[in-house]
Short mmCIF file of all heavy atoms in Angstrom, two decimals:
data_model
loop_
_atom_site.label_atom_id
_atom_site.label_comp_id
_atom_site.label_asym_id
_atom_site.label_seq_id
_atom_site.Cartn_x
_atom_site.Cartn_y
_atom_site.Cartn_z
N ARG A 34 5.34 -11.02 -4.87
CA ARG A 34 6.15 -10.62 -3.70
C ARG A 34 5.22 -10.25 -2.57
O ARG A 34 4.14 -9.66 -2.78
CB ARG A 34 7.02 -9.41 -4.11
CG ARG A 34 7.89 -8.85 -3.02
CD ARG A 34 8.95 -7.90 -3.64
NE ARG A 34 8.33 -6.93 -4.49
CZ ARG A 34 8.18 -5.62 -4.20
NH1 ARG A 34 8.63 -5.13 -3.06
NH2 ARG A 34 7.56 -4.81 -5.04
N TYR A 36 5.65 -8.43 1.37
CA TYR A 36 6.51 -7.88 2.41
C TYR A 36 5.62 -7.28 3.49
O TYR A 36 4.43 -7.06 3.29
CB TYR A 36 7.51 -6.87 1.85
CG TYR A 36 6.93 -5.65 1.19
CD1 TYR A 36 6.69 -4.47 1.93
CD2 TYR A 36 6.61 -5.62 -0.16
CE1 TYR A 36 6.17 -3.33 1.32
CE2 TYR A 36 6.11 -4.50 -0.78
CZ TYR A 36 5.88 -3.35 -0.03
OH TYR A 36 5.37 -2.24 -0.65
N ILE A 38 5.71 -4.44 6.97
CA ILE A 38 6.39 -3.35 7.69
C ILE A 38 5.89 -3.40 9.13
O ILE A 38 4.69 -3.39 9.38
CB ILE A 38 6.04 -2.00 7.02
CG1 ILE A 38 6.61 -1.96 5.58
CG2 ILE A 38 6.56 -0.82 7.86
CD1 ILE A 38 6.09 -0.81 4.75
N ARG A 47 6.87 6.83 6.23
CA ARG A 47 7.53 6.04 5.19
C ARG A 47 6.88 6.30 3.84
O ARG A 47 5.89 7.01 3.77
CB ARG A 47 7.43 4.55 5.54
CG ARG A 47 7.98 4.18 6.89
CD ARG A 47 8.03 2.67 7.06
NE ARG A 47 8.92 2.06 6.08
CZ ARG A 47 9.96 1.30 6.38
NH1 ARG A 47 10.25 1.05 7.66
NH2 ARG A 47 10.72 0.78 5.44
N GLY A 48 7.42 5.64 2.82
CA GLY A 48 6.86 5.82 1.49
C GLY A 48 7.53 6.98 0.80
O GLY A 48 8.74 6.97 0.56
N HIS A 50 6.99 8.03 -2.40
CA HIS A 50 7.36 7.63 -3.77
C HIS A 50 6.09 7.19 -4.51
O HIS A 50 5.05 6.97 -3.90
CB HIS A 50 8.40 6.50 -3.75
CG HIS A 50 7.94 5.29 -3.01
ND1 HIS A 50 8.40 4.96 -1.75
CD2 HIS A 50 7.06 4.31 -3.36
CE1 HIS A 50 7.82 3.84 -1.36
NE2 HIS A 50 7.00 3.44 -2.32
N HIS A 52 5.03 4.42 -8.00
CA HIS A 52 5.55 3.32 -8.81
C HIS A 52 5.07 3.50 -10.24
O HIS A 52 3.98 4.00 -10.50
CB HIS A 52 5.05 1.97 -8.27
CG HIS A 52 5.83 1.51 -7.09
ND1 HIS A 52 7.08 0.96 -7.20
CD2 HIS A 52 5.53 1.52 -5.76
CE1 HIS A 52 7.53 0.65 -5.99
NE2 HIS A 52 6.62 0.98 -5.10
N LEU A 55 3.99 -1.07 -10.78
CA LEU A 55 3.62 -2.00 -9.71
C LEU A 55 2.16 -1.84 -9.26
O LEU A 55 1.65 -0.74 -9.17
CB LEU A 55 4.54 -1.74 -8.49
CG LEU A 55 4.50 -2.78 -7.38
CD1 LEU A 55 5.12 -4.09 -7.86
CD2 LEU A 55 5.29 -2.26 -6.18
N GLN A 57 -0.32 -3.04 -6.01
CA GLN A 57 -0.15 -3.54 -4.66
C GLN A 57 -1.49 -3.53 -3.90
O GLN A 57 -2.35 -2.69 -4.15
CB GLN A 57 0.84 -2.65 -3.88
CG GLN A 57 2.23 -2.62 -4.50
CD GLN A 57 3.25 -2.02 -3.53
OE1 GLN A 57 4.10 -2.76 -3.05
NE2 GLN A 57 3.16 -0.77 -3.32
N MET A 68 -2.55 6.56 5.58
CA MET A 68 -1.90 6.58 4.26
C MET A 68 -2.39 7.77 3.45
O MET A 68 -3.58 8.07 3.48
CB MET A 68 -2.18 5.27 3.51
CG MET A 68 -1.42 5.14 2.22
SD MET A 68 -1.67 3.55 1.40
CE MET A 68 -0.34 2.58 2.09
N ARG A 96 2.53 7.74 -2.68
CA ARG A 96 2.01 7.27 -1.39
C ARG A 96 2.95 7.60 -0.25
O ARG A 96 4.18 7.58 -0.41
CB ARG A 96 1.68 5.78 -1.43
CG ARG A 96 2.79 4.73 -1.28
CD ARG A 96 3.64 4.54 -2.51
NE ARG A 96 2.96 4.53 -3.77
CZ ARG A 96 2.61 3.42 -4.44
NH1 ARG A 96 2.92 2.23 -3.95
NH2 ARG A 96 2.03 3.46 -5.59
N MET A 98 3.08 6.94 4.20
CA MET A 98 2.48 6.31 5.39
C MET A 98 2.93 7.05 6.63
O MET A 98 4.13 7.31 6.80
CB MET A 98 2.85 4.83 5.48
CG MET A 98 2.32 3.98 4.33
SD MET A 98 3.45 3.87 2.95
CE MET A 98 4.63 2.70 3.56
N LEU A 107 1.94 -3.77 8.69
CA LEU A 107 1.36 -3.44 7.38
C LEU A 107 1.85 -4.49 6.38
O LEU A 107 3.03 -4.56 6.03
CB LEU A 107 1.80 -2.04 6.94
CG LEU A 107 1.22 -1.55 5.61
CD1 LEU A 107 -0.29 -1.46 5.63
CD2 LEU A 107 1.83 -0.19 5.23
N VAL A 109 1.89 -6.12 2.65
CA VAL A 109 1.72 -5.66 1.27
C VAL A 109 1.94 -6.83 0.32
O VAL A 109 2.93 -7.55 0.39
CB VAL A 109 2.71 -4.51 0.94
CG1 VAL A 109 2.46 -4.00 -0.48
CG2 VAL A 109 2.57 -3.37 1.94
N TYR A 115 10.86 -7.02 -6.41
CA TYR A 115 11.41 -5.71 -6.06
C TYR A 115 12.29 -5.18 -7.20
O TYR A 115 13.16 -5.91 -7.71
CB TYR A 115 12.25 -5.85 -4.77
CG TYR A 115 12.92 -4.54 -4.40
CD1 TYR A 115 12.19 -3.47 -3.94
CD2 TYR A 115 14.31 -4.40 -4.54
CE1 TYR A 115 12.78 -2.28 -3.60
CE2 TYR A 115 14.92 -3.21 -4.20
CZ TYR A 115 14.15 -2.15 -3.75
OH TYR A 115 14.75 -0.96 -3.40
N GLU A 117 14.10 -1.39 -7.99
CA GLU A 117 14.26 0.04 -7.65
C GLU A 117 13.96 0.93 -8.86
O GLU A 117 13.54 2.08 -8.70
CB GLU A 117 15.69 0.27 -7.11
CG GLU A 117 15.98 1.67 -6.58
CD GLU A 117 15.04 2.14 -5.44
OE1 GLU A 117 14.67 1.30 -4.59
OE2 GLU A 117 14.70 3.35 -5.42
N TYR A 120 10.60 2.72 -9.05
CA TYR A 120 10.25 3.77 -8.09
C TYR A 120 10.45 5.16 -8.67
O TYR A 120 11.44 5.38 -9.39
CB TYR A 120 11.15 3.68 -6.86
CG TYR A 120 10.83 2.55 -5.89
CD1 TYR A 120 11.12 1.24 -6.18
CD2 TYR A 120 10.26 2.83 -4.64
CE1 TYR A 120 10.84 0.21 -5.31
CE2 TYR A 120 9.98 1.80 -3.74
CZ TYR A 120 10.26 0.50 -4.09
OH TYR A 120 10.00 -0.51 -3.20
N ARG A 122 11.02 8.48 -6.75
CA ARG A 122 11.19 8.92 -5.35
C ARG A 122 11.28 10.44 -5.20
O ARG A 122 11.42 10.95 -4.10
CB ARG A 122 12.42 8.25 -4.74
CG ARG A 122 12.26 6.73 -4.54
CD ARG A 122 13.38 6.15 -3.72
NE ARG A 122 13.31 4.72 -3.56
CZ ARG A 122 12.64 4.08 -2.58
NH1 ARG A 122 11.98 4.78 -1.68
NH2 ARG A 122 12.67 2.74 -2.52
C1 LIG B 201 5.50 0.86 -1.09
C2 LIG B 201 5.26 1.12 0.36
C3 LIG B 201 3.84 0.88 0.75
C4 LIG B 201 13.72 -4.56 -0.60
O1 LIG B 201 14.91 -4.93 -0.64
N1 LIG B 201 12.73 -5.35 -1.09
C5 LIG B 201 11.42 -5.00 -1.04
O2 LIG B 201 10.56 -5.76 -1.52
C6 LIG B 201 11.07 -3.73 -0.47
C7 LIG B 201 9.62 -3.30 -0.42
C8 LIG B 201 12.08 -2.96 0.02
N2 LIG B 201 13.37 -3.36 -0.03
C9 LIG B 201 14.41 -2.52 0.57
C10 LIG B 201 14.64 -1.16 -0.09
C11 LIG B 201 15.07 -0.28 1.04
O3 LIG B 201 16.46 -0.43 1.23
O4 LIG B 201 14.03 -2.22 1.91
C12 LIG B 201 14.36 -0.91 2.26
C13 LIG B 201 13.15 -0.10 2.69
O5 LIG B 201 12.29 0.12 1.54
P1 LIG B 201 11.52 1.48 1.30
O6 LIG B 201 12.33 2.60 1.86
O7 LIG B 201 11.17 1.58 -0.13
O8 LIG B 201 10.22 1.24 2.21
P2 LIG B 201 8.91 2.14 2.32
O9 LIG B 201 8.22 1.73 3.54
O10 LIG B 201 9.23 3.59 2.18
O11 LIG B 201 8.03 1.71 1.02
C14 LIG B 201 7.52 0.39 0.91
C15 LIG B 201 7.72 -0.15 -0.52
O12 LIG B 201 9.09 0.00 -0.88
C16 LIG B 201 6.87 0.54 -1.55
O13 LIG B 201 6.86 -0.19 -2.74
O14 LIG B 201 4.61 1.09 -1.91
O15 LIG B 201 6.13 0.36 1.22
#
Side-chain angles (χ1 to χ4, degrees):
R34 178 165 52 106
Y36 61 92
I38 296 168
R47 304 189 62 123
H50 57 257
H52 281 284
L55 192 68
Q57 300 194 109
M68 187 176 269
R96 80 283 319 261
M98 295 91 77
L107 182 62
V109 183
Y115 177 70
E117 186 58 37
Y120 284 73
R122 292 191 182 271

